[in-house]
Amino acid sequence: MVDDTLIQLPVFDAVAKTAADFLQKGMNVAIVGPPGSGATTVASRIQRELSAAKRPFAVFDCAVAGELSQLLTEHFDPKLEKGQRGVIVVDHAGLLPLDQLQSVAAHMREIALKNSTAFLWLGALDTRSIKAATGFDLHTDTRTHLCLPELARDDLLRLYQAIATRDERFWGQWGEAMLYFVLDWCGNDLALVEELVEHFYGDWTQRIYDESVVECLRNWLAESPAVGAYRNRLAALPEPCKKHLRLLCAGGKLILHRPEIHLETSEDIRRLALSGFLCTNLLPGYYQFRNLLARYVVEEQSGTAPAPIELLRRSANGRVNALLQDIEVALRAMLRNVFRQMQPSEVYALLKGTKTDTKFCEPELQRILMEWADQLPVIAPFVAKSSLIQLLKEERVKFETSNNLWTKICKAFAAGLSADVKVEPTPEQTVAYLTFAELSSILQTLSDSVFLNKSRLNRIIDPPKKRWSDYLTKVRRLRNDAAHLRNIGFQDIEDLLEILNAMRRDQLDFLIMPEDFRSLTTSGLQ
């Protein structure tokens, strides 16, 4: 488990503080969560709280190798003074089968009868099913059943970076593409990250080739004990649980009745969540796979698993979408800035003079029509063909006159209005109805009105219009891939970050601001 000194996590601190307060009142506490979610980390923080309060405690770790009965015999209880309450921490209790857990619980009950002792149970414990099967309640009441929180994305990314670069074993650097790759494959299972980092060591911030990622990923899937534990837990699941997982693979969702796992009415769902296969969905009220590994091992067992690298990396694609949206918002703001300085008639003329992708007639259809005209059973086929050519030409002119970028924008704008409202969009409003390709093309057409010729910071660098064409082409390609839910290449993500930084620097150096327009206009008049 991750060393709790890596970074501070307020959500873990809050759970530890709450548990410590209950324990000091003599109440039994259960802290539950799937494997790798931080139970041992929280336990160490609770122990610090107990030490600070001078509360005696002892730890019994169920993960320690050895005969359980002998371990229980050798276990030392907290040394208590007269009238003092102690605490026993039972860690990794979820690893024990039910009969062994009963033995541990019975032993702890004997200790409680002799001394005033509270118990802290930690692990993937379905306390509801345990009570139904044994009659033993691990926690005093519903308040003392605490669930480990699902860490937020930013907390997880900070943890991943800290794990990869920790002082005692510096493995290397992970760039943004790799961090989001880990987020997809591991999620909040930090035990997986601990082993993944041993396969992805070195510099993963640049020149990240998909082939290299594939090789390291396959090695991790084949060699990692934590991955093997997922396969073992899946094999041990009853058929109803596996049926739920197959539903998720097929695109379905499982209903989340209550966010607190011990209040979930379905025993199968509770088992899946505590076995590390489920987490809450982005859409409230449903479950989804905890990470890509959970999906992969389920599909692997059913014999339908695709190549690991082909599984959709939702977090990475989501990050790319956020970066692309950031770029597009800036580009639209830049064009609005230019349109504000132009006369409306100039904007309308520009849009009317811009063709759209819509074609009057496909070249292949025109060729077929010409061949058809040649074969007409008429006295003068050449005249008929010439007439057809003239007709197509005239109709094309009519089509292009009534089908340009301005008419396209007007149609889209009118679609959002009532049928009886006849209003044309203002120049600024037209920007919202441009496709990314149209937006890029107009910005490049108006580049002299977008950028200064020289850097305002006096840097010796070429104006942006010489390099923004390549930037916008790549952004457009990645935008199309992300929109169609295709995985974005690892190096493409790093390149996108570099492009974003370069565009931001160009905006600082060259972007014409409203006050620049006024000064340029004044100097032009002089």
Side-chain angles (χ1 to χ4, degrees):
M1 181 46 60
V2 174
D3 182 354
D4 67 334
T5 61
L6 284 175
I7 64 172
Q8 292 299 313
L9 295 172
V11 290
F12 277 3
D13 291 335
V15 173
K17 182 68 169 60
T18 301
D21 289 344
F22 284 135
L23 291 168
Q24 291 181 63
K25 294 175 183 177
M27 304 171 77
N28 297 332
V29 177
I31 298 180
V32 305
S37 57
T40 300
T41 299
V42 171
S44 65
R45 298 186 183 199
I46 294 172
Q47 291 170 40
R48 286 205 300 268
E49 292 278 346
L50 296 175
S51 296
K54 298 187 178 350
R55 183 75 63 183
F57 66 87
V59 178
F60 182 78
D61 191 346
C62 300
V64 174
E67 183 65 33
L68 181 62
S69 58
Q70 183 178 352
L71 294 173
L72 289 172
T73 302
E74 296 173 352
H75 176 252
F76 293 97
D77 305 334
K79 296 179 180 180
L80 305 177
E81 298 179 2
K82 187 175 181 180
Q84 193 176 30
R85 292 174 177 171
V87 174
I88 293 180
V89 179
V90 185
D91 200 2
H92 298 108
L95 297 177
L96 299 178
L98 186 59
D99 58 336
Q100 293 187 14
L101 183 62
Q102 280 185 282
S103 299
V104 174
H107 180 78
M108 299 304 166
R109 190 183 295 115
E110 292 176 7
I111 295 175
L113 292 174
K114 298 176 184 177
N115 302 304
S116 180
T117 305
F119 299 94
L120 171 63
W121 299 84
L122 299 117
L125 296 162
D126 184 356
T127 59
R128 187 167 171 168
S129 295
I130 291 170
K131 183 178 180 179
T134 67
F136 184 71
D137 212 337
L138 299 181
H139 52 96
T140 301
D141 56 34
T142 55
R143 295 173 302 157
T144 59
H145 183 286
L146 305 176
C147 297
L148 289 166
E150 292 185 11
L151 295 177
R153 180 198 66 184
D154 291 345
D155 285 337
L156 288 171
L157 295 177
R158 289 166 57 217
L159 268 174
Y160 299 161
Q161 194 66 275
I163 291 171
T165 59
R166 60 173 53 176
D167 294 337
E168 70 270 19
R169 52 166 203 178
F170 184 86
W171 290 103
Q173 289 285 347
W174 285 345
E176 188 144 333
M178 278 304 304
L179 288 172
Y180 278 87
F181 169 80
V182 178
L183 182 61
D184 280 311
W185 273 95
C186 301
N188 68 341
D189 191 337
L190 302 177
L192 287 177
V193 184
E194 290 275 5
E195 295 183 359
L196 185 75
V197 72
E198 298 181 13
H199 292 271
F200 288 88
Y201 55 86
D203 185 359
W204 291 86
T205 60
Q206 54 187 343
R207 294 189 296 278
I208 309 174
Y209 300 107
D210 286 11
E211 296 82 1
S212 301
V213 176
V214 168
E215 181 179 24
C216 294
L217 177 60
R218 284 176 175 166
N219 291 338
W220 175 66
L221 291 172
E223 301 169 9
S224 167
V227 174
Y230 268 75
R231 293 188 175 104
N232 293 337
R233 291 197 297 271
L234 176 63
L237 290 175
E239 180 56 30
C241 290
K242 294 179 180 178
K243 185 176 180 180
H244 286 316
L245 295 177
R246 290 195 293 271
L247 172 65
L248 287 178
C249 285
K253 295 291 183 186
L254 301 176
I255 295 177
L256 184 153
H257 297 98
R258 294 285 299 172
E260 303 86 357
I261 190 62
H262 63 296
L263 298 180
E264 170 60 55
T265 56
S266 169
E267 182 177 354
D268 293 332
I269 298 294
R270 293 199 303 273
R271 181 163 181 176
L272 285 172
L274 291 170
S275 296
F277 288 95
L278 301 181
C279 70
T280 54
N281 191 51
L282 294 173
L283 179 64
Y286 294 91
Y287 287 103
Q288 64 182 4
F289 278 114
R290 183 187 188 188
N291 48 39
L292 268 189
L293 178 62
R295 172 181 286 275
Y296 177 75
V297 296
V298 172
E299 295 193 350
E300 178 186 56
Q301 188 192 65
S302 63
T304 58
I309 202 67
E310 293 177 4
L311 291 172
L312 178 64
R313 300 187 291 275
R314 292 177 57 182
S315 297
N317 276 33
R319 177 57 173 165
V320 169
N321 272 317
L323 294 173
L324 293 170
Q325 186 181 69
D326 185 65
I327 293 174
E328 187 167 344
V329 167
L331 295 176
R332 293 187 187 276
M334 290 164 60
L335 186 56
R336 287 192 187 94
N337 184 45
V338 174
F339 279 4
R340 289 189 188 108
Q341 315 310 318
M342 298 171 62
Q343 294 297 322
S345 58
E346 295 175 325
V347 175
Y348 299 146
L350 172 67
L351 297 176
K352 289 177 181 178
T354 304
K355 295 181 180 180
T356 65
D357 293 335
T358 306
K359 297 179 180 179
F360 166 69
C361 179
E362 292 291 339
E364 180 64 16
L365 176 59
Q366 184 168 328
R367 184 188 64 79
I368 293 172
L369 287 173
M370 293 300 103
E371 292 179 354
W372 171 77
D374 283 336
Q375 299 172 7
L376 284 175
V378 295
I379 298 174
F382 178 76
V383 175
K385 184 175 181 180
S386 298
S387 298
L388 178 59
I389 292 174
Q390 183 62 29
L391 175 64
L392 291 173
K393 182 177 179 181
E394 292 172 357
E395 292 300 319
R396 180 177 287 105
V397 171
K398 292 179 184 178
F399 177 84
E400 292 177 353
T401 301
S402 59
N403 289 273
N404 50 54
L405 187 52
W406 169 247
T407 58
K408 177 185 175 184
I409 290 172
C410 287
K411 289 177 183 176
F413 182 76
L417 303 175
S418 301
D420 56 341
V421 177
K422 303 296 182 184
V423 181
E424 291 184 342
T426 65
E428 289 186 41
Q429 288 175 322
T430 62
V431 176
Y433 293 89
L434 298 173
T435 66
F436 187 83
E438 293 161 352
L439 173 67
S440 302
S441 177
I442 293 177
L443 278 172
Q444 292 178 77
T445 299
L446 299 175
S447 60
D448 290 338
S449 298
V450 176
F451 298 114
L452 298 168
N453 289 326
K454 293 183 180 179
S455 167
R456 59 164 49 89
L457 301 179
N458 296 320
R459 286 203 305 153
I460 302 175
I461 184 173
D462 290 331
K465 61 183 178 182
K466 295 185 177 180
R467 55 183 169 276
W468 271 49
S469 177
D470 291 339
Y471 293 166
L472 295 174
T473 298
K474 181 145 195 175
V475 168
R476 182 183 177 187
R477 176 177 66 80
L478 295 180
R479 188 178 182 275
N480 184 60
D481 287 345
H484 290 85
L485 298 181
R486 302 186 190 113
N487 278 327
I488 306 300
F490 296 91
Q491 190 56 50
D492 279 338
I493 297 177
E494 297 298 336
D495 290 345
L496 179 60
L497 288 166
E498 290 184 10
I499 288 173
L500 182 57
N501 287 329
M503 294 175 77
R504 290 307 189 202
R505 288 194 297 269
D506 282 342
Q507 288 172 323
L508 291 173
D509 276 352
F510 295 96
L511 186 63
I512 297 178
M513 304 297 291
E515 55 269 25
D516 296 320
F517 277 106
R518 287 192 290 271
S519 62
L520 289 171
T521 303
T522 302
S523 62
L525 291 174
Q526 293 174 350

